[in-house]
């Protein structure tokens, strides 16, 4: 197998990476209109065009056939797929697992399994690239991506299965010269680990090969509105700063509120019902740097600064606290067909950035704010078995420290106290295995692939009592997918 070059960095058989192009698309620079008839179907992948087993399929480098619209080029891509889902306990939902709500064995839902078939993961994207030399910009680009994992009506599975259309990505990016990029819109947070140089494009993030649309428990990610500036002085180094949409959250019933002002506090933090009504103080500020010292080693690290704020009667002063955290991501290629991945994040008030699997803060008896210490991790190995087969394994999780106090009433308040609700999780862990097979590919006509995932999960509660302290579940996903050309 020949090595290929990705943005100036030599890596061998990089199809394991999420930055690998969609199967069936043309290499960069070969997207001109071709008058000759399309080639006949082939059963062997074209050289250098390997399988992409990941969910995210669009990288910074534009690929595939395009329509000319004046000086701009328009591309429509995505994939159509159906996913078979089995969970050994009934946590409900579609292709995205609610990691923090796996039911306990002493409940009805913990004693029945669930099976469903869903097309909700199917997605479509629209991309426009346009050079702009008149303003000394190298390129303007816009990207819009949707799927069907939006709000589901109560009778969704009875007849029409009319899954809700959902915005995933919507951003524009301008490149100024060779080293500066400015982007604005909704995209993955800059706290999300990267693959090589920092990029706002979805397949340039380190998001695993999981079929589950919530990826793996412990992965730091979020798709949020933001404004970002990136500096890339060399292929080895890049640095970015973003201003991102904030949201202070405490989850539904996870944090016991103080008697002095619990009603006021509950109205100012997201508990799952506030929509866009939470009065956040300021945007989250994120900075990240990436470094590629050798062709086989990548490192990136970053941090987020957050501000929490509320007011209580008589509403003449504000209560404030600062929180946030840091994350580190490293991957190495010890052999041409093997990638090792390690990710770690830790902070006070970091719950939102670990998939909302922990509350951001708790509260003292006087209503002051106590950010909750949270840590998450992902360790994984991704292996190229053949040019058509990819396998991967991950161990990941989230843990949160107990943060509680004795209220003026003598009762415990906060998070993780003795006798807390069983939804207050001390620890969530997941072991995941994936396998992907490229069934067929035709040049300029797309490709078909099969993706498999099996996971074992456990969540452990802070609650003490006669009931179980942990809940386990097995998850199985089988996805058949047609990638648009």
């Amino acid at each position: 197998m020949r090595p290929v070059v990705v943005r100036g960095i030599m890596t061998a058989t990089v199809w394991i990476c999420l930055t690998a192009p969609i199967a069936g698309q043309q290499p960069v620079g070969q997207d001109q209109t071709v008058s000759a008839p399309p080639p006949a179907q082939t059963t062997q992948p074209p050289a250098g065009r390997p399988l992409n087993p990941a969910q995210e399929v669009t990288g910074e480098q534009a690929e595939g056939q395009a329509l000319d619209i004046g000086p701009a080029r328009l591309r429509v891509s995505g994939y159509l797929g159906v996913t078979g889902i089995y969970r050994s306990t009934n946590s409900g939902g579609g292709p995205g697992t609610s990691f923090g709500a796996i039911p306990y064995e002493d409940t009805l839902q913990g004693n029945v399994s669930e099976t469903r078939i869903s097309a909700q993961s199917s997605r479509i994207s629209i991309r426009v690239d346009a050079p702009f030399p008149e303003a000394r910009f190298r390129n303007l680009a816009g990207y819009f991506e949707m799927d069907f994992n939006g709000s589901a009506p109560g009778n969704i599975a009875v007849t029409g299965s009319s899954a809700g259309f959902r915005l995933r990505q919507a951003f524009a990016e301008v490149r100024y010269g060779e080293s500066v990029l400015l982007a604005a819109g909704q995209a993955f947070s800059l706290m999300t680990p990267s693959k090589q140089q920092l990029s706002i494009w979805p397949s340039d993030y380190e998001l695993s090969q999981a079929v589950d649309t919530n990826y793996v428990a412990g992965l730091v990610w979020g798709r949020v509105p933001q404004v970002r500036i990136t500096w890339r002085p060399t292929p080895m180094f890049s640095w970015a700063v973003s201003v991102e949409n904030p949201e202070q959250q405490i989850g539904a019933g996870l944090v016991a509120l103080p008697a002095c002002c619990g009603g006021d506090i509950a109205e100012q933090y997201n508990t799952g019902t506030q929509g866009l009504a939470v009065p956040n103080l300021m945007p989250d500020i994120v900075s990240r740097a990436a470094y590629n010292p050798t062709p086989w080693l990548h490192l990136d690290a970053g941090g987020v600064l957050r501000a929490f704020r509320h007011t209580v009667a008589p509403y003449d002063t504000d209560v404030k606290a600062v929180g946030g955290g840091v994350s580190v991501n490293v991957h190495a290629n010890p052999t041409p067909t093997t990638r090792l991945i390690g990710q770690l994040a830790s902070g006070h008030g970091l719950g939102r950035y670990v998939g909302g699997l922990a509350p951001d803060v708790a509260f003292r008896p006087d209503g002051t704010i106590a950010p909750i210490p949270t840590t998450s991790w992902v360790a994984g190995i991704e292996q190229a078995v053949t040019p058509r087969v990819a396998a991967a394994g991950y161990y990941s999780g989230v843990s949160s420290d107990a943060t509680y106090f004795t209220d003026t009433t003598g009762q415990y308040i906060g998070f993780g106290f003795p006798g807390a609700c069983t939804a207050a999780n001390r620890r969530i862990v997941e072991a995941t295995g994936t396998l992907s097979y490229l069934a067929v590919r035709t040049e300029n006509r797309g490709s078909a692939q099969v993706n498999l995932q099996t996971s074992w999960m456990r969540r452990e509660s802070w609650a003490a009592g006669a009931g179980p302290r942990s809940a386990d579940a097995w998850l199985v996903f089988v996805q058949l997918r047609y990638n648009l050309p």
Side-chain angles (χ1 to χ4, degrees), residues 307-383:
F308 306 103
R309 185 272 309 271
H310 64 257
T311 186
V312 297
Y315 313 123
D316 53 355
T317 59
D318 288 345
V319 179
K320 301 186 181 87
V322 174
V326 297
S327 69
V328 177
N329 170 54
V330 57
H331 70 246
N333 293 74
T335 74
T337 58
T338 305
R339 289 182 77 239
L340 302 178
I341 298 168
Q343 300 172 6
L344 180 67
S346 183
H348 290 67
L350 198 62
R352 180 197 183 196
Y353 286 88
V354 293
L357 296 180
D360 289 331
V361 298
F363 306 94
R364 301 180 181 90
D366 60 357
T368 55
I369 302 168
I372 297 174
T374 301
T375 300
S376 73
W377 67 91
V378 179
I381 180 171
E382 299 176 343
Q383 178 67 45

Side-chain angles (χ1 to χ4, degrees), residues 417-434:
F417 51 84
C421 70
T422 56
N425 295 314
R426 175 181 182 179
R427 192 167 178 254
I428 302 170
V429 296
E430 181 179 16
T432 299
T434 68

Side-chain angles (χ1 to χ4, degrees), residues 420-481:
C421 70
T422 56
N425 295 314
R426 175 181 182 179
R427 192 167 178 254
I428 302 170
V429 296
E430 181 179 16
T432 299
T434 68
L435 185 67
S436 301
Y437 171 65
L438 179 62
V440 65
R441 174 165 52 216
T442 59
E443 197 66 27
N444 302 326
R445 301 178 195 175
S447 64
Q449 65 187 65
V450 181
N451 297 325
L452 308 177
Q453 175 189 337
T454 182
S455 297
W456 172 85
M457 290 198 60
R458 168 171 288 176
R459 73 178 180 104
E460 301 172 1
S461 170
W462 281 105
R469 294 292 298 269
S470 65
D472 300 342
W474 282 99
L475 319 175
V476 178
F477 299 82
V478 181
Q479 184 183 68
L480 307 178
R481 192 171 100 189

